[in-house]
Amino acid sequence: MTRLLVAAGLLLWAGTALLLTGWTRLARLPLSERLAPFHPVAPSAAIRPRPAASSGQLMRSAAQALGDRLAAVAGVDEPLGVRLRRVHSPLDVVAFRTRQVGWMGAGLALGLVVGAVGAPVPLAVLALAGGPVLAFLVVEQRLSEASRRWQDRVARELPVVAEQLAMLINAGYSLGAAVNRLAVRGDGCCATDLRVVANRIRHGVGETAALREWAQVVRVDAVDRLVGMLALHAEAPDLGRLVSAEARQSRRDLQRRTTELIERRAEQVWIPVSVSTLVPGVILLAVPFLAALRLFANA
């Protein structure tokens, strides 16, 4: 038990160190490195010697590798960076994995507490082994659920956004101006994504390329179709009519999915009703049947 406590304490120390190294107040660059870009004779980035990796960087890299390996074992095939960009998370991949490993250390500490209070050995082993795994899966599931909710909200908002985009294009707006107007005046997930698209356009990225980046991140079929149609803005003279037709198609698809969901939930309602009806009936039939078997056995 002493060796187990020592090993768990080391893992807890590693998790705490990972959390502290991710804190900006403790991970600030030295003053010389922060002032180097403003020095008139600062060496260029090409000839500047590459600094050696610190222990914090090595631990964050190890946390990222460990998190990616565990996510692959858990069956998560979508890249973490794509999900973080989809929900507009302020964390990058390394920071998210570092925080995730820190929560695993907290789960291990909880397992140590369970083992220290005198719990049975199977329960203590289960807490020590399952605590970190459960903490990892909870954090991963929260991000996956947030990503799925974002995709659902984009799919629900897209018909209205496409209709507004068609009206603006028919009114004489260019594609970039229409996207920027929707991004500034809109509210919701689509407007948040379009603000990123408008920002990319202002930084010199082409309109079609910025929209395709949005489609690759959000991964919604209706967005793929809309972006593929908007890519023809330089060739199609009646783009507003095509976008309006696509908005109607997206609305029909959304209505069909909603109808399927309502029917599926209506079928699920009958499951507890059937169980609550069958169980008393089985009991009522089993009582005289068992009484008859007992009577014939005594005879």
Side-chain angles (χ1 to χ4, degrees):
M1 183 61 69
T2 304
R3 294 181 179 178
L4 184 61
L5 291 175
V6 171
L10 292 176
L11 291 177
L12 179 60
W13 170 82
T16 306
L18 287 173
L19 288 177
L20 292 178
T21 52
W23 194 21
T24 55
R25 291 182 179 272
L26 298 179
R28 296 183 64 184
L29 294 175
L31 181 61
S32 58
E33 295 186 13
R34 282 181 280 148
L35 295 178
F38 305 98
H39 198 276
V41 292
S44 61
I47 62 176
R48 183 178 300 172
R50 186 176 180 180
S54 62
S55 59
Q57 293 174 346
L58 293 176
M59 294 179 68
R60 287 193 292 269
S61 300
Q64 180 183 359
L66 177 62
D68 293 341
R69 182 67 59 86
L70 292 178
V73 171
V76 181
D77 53 354
E78 191 173 20
L80 176 61
V82 174
R83 288 178 288 161
L84 292 175
R85 289 181 59 191
R86 180 179 300 150
V87 300
H88 300 274
S89 175
L91 301 175
D92 59 356
V93 175
V94 178
F96 181 84
R97 291 302 188 196
T98 302
R99 180 174 296 184
Q100 199 171 26
V101 172
W103 279 109
M104 292 177 63
L108 181 62
L110 182 61
L112 284 176
V113 172
V114 173
V117 297
V121 176
L123 181 60
V125 173
L126 180 62
L128 286 174
V133 175
L134 182 61
F136 176 86
L137 293 178
V138 166
V139 177
E140 195 75 23
Q141 177 62 26
R142 288 183 60 185
L143 177 60
S144 299
E145 186 65 21
S147 175
R148 186 191 62 80
R149 287 198 303 266
W150 191 276
Q151 289 177 317
D152 292 341
R153 292 184 60 185
V154 168
R156 290 196 300 266
E157 296 174 5
L158 191 64
V160 177
V161 173
E163 289 175 353
Q164 294 175 349
L165 188 61
M167 287 189 295
L168 291 175
I169 292 176
N170 289 329
Y173 281 78
S174 64
L175 178 59
V179 169
N180 185 67
R181 184 175 178 85
L182 290 178
V184 172
R185 301 178 64 90
D187 187 16
C189 293
C190 284
T192 304
D193 291 342
L194 289 179
R195 279 192 284 271
V196 178
V197 174
N199 189 34
R200 294 284 291 164
I201 293 174
R202 283 193 295 269
H203 281 77
V205 180
E207 299 168 351
T208 302
L211 288 170
R212 290 190 186 279
E213 289 179 1
W214 174 39
Q216 292 173 359
V217 170
V218 73
R219 294 189 179 182
V220 175
D221 294 337
V223 174
D224 291 336
R225 295 197 303 267
L226 179 62
V227 170
M229 190 170 298
L230 293 176
L232 304 174
H233 65 95
E235 303 174 2
D238 54 347
L239 181 62
R241 184 180 61 83
L242 296 177
V243 174
S244 180
E246 178 60 31
R248 290 193 295 270
Q249 180 62 36
S250 299
R251 192 178 298 277
R252 285 193 293 267
D253 294 342
L254 181 62
Q255 182 180 5
R256 183 175 63 253
R257 288 196 298 269
T258 304
T259 304
E260 293 175 356
L261 180 61
I262 293 174
E263 292 179 353
R264 190 180 304 113
R265 291 184 177 179
E267 294 175 357
Q268 293 175 354
V269 170
W270 288 101
I271 296 177
V273 175
S274 302
V275 172
S276 62
T277 303
L278 291 175
V279 171
V282 171
I283 294 176
L284 291 176
L285 291 176
V287 170
F289 181 73
L290 294 177
L293 288 179
R294 191 179 298 108
L295 179 63
F296 283 111
N298 295 332

